[in-house]
Amino acid sequence: MTSPKPKTIQTMKPETAAKKLGVLLSATPAEFQAGVVSRDELNELQSTPPAWLADLRRNGPHPKQVIAAKLGVSISGLTRGGITVPLTTAEIDALKAENPAWLERERSVQAETRKEALRLKQR
């Protein structure tokens, strides 16, 4: 009979953890950027976020996937609209208020894409 192997701790690079947390790695504290993050640490950060994480999620700067979700467009649509840098929540809100033509167009493209995906799923 073999003895059970000790459970190994799953770790991830800071880039991966930041992406899972929905924040920019460059905006996180240096100690977060320098180390590795275990699965348990990630779960702890998600369930009880420290002040720096809550502030980043609230005010930004936000990564492109978060910006796209907040604006209701795809990441490709952001690029087509000329948004290539991280934006803060205030900048996103200003963009929503301004509602440029490219944003309206990309929102309609996204809506059509979702309708088509739903239609194909129901087949």
Side-chain angles (χ1 to χ4, degrees):
M1 210 165 151
T2 61
S3 60
K5 292 182 180 178
K7 191 173 181 179
T8 58
I9 297 174
Q10 290 181 323
T11 59
M12 61 191 83
K13 294 177 181 176
E15 296 89 2
T16 305
K19 190 171 188 175
K20 288 180 181 280
L21 292 169
V23 296
L24 277 177
L25 179 63
S26 61
T28 61
E31 60 269 7
F32 181 85
Q33 294 178 33
V36 294
V37 180
S38 72
R39 173 66 61 188
D40 292 337
E41 290 170 334
L42 179 69
N43 291 339
E44 179 69 23
L45 286 170
Q46 289 175 326
S47 64
T48 54
W52 64 265
L53 180 56
D55 186 52
L56 276 177
R57 286 179 169 169
R58 188 178 324 103
N59 301 319
H62 301 289
K64 60 186 167 193
Q65 67 267 22
V66 174
I67 297 169
K70 286 180 180 267
L71 291 175
V73 300
S74 67
I75 293 173
S76 299
L78 280 181
T79 305
R80 287 190 293 269
I83 306 296
T84 58
V85 296
L87 300 177
T88 63
T89 301
E91 292 168 328
I92 294 170
D93 290 343
L95 197 54
K96 283 180 182 178
E98 183 183 321
N99 201 21
W102 71 264
L103 183 57
E104 282 187 43
R105 184 175 55 253
E106 291 301 332
R107 282 180 171 165
S108 66
V109 167
Q110 185 75 351
E112 288 300 317
T113 302
R114 286 184 178 144
K115 272 194 233 173
E116 181 64 13
L118 183 61
R119 184 187 70 78
L120 292 174
K121 185 177 179 182
Q122 291 176 344
R123 290 177 84 191

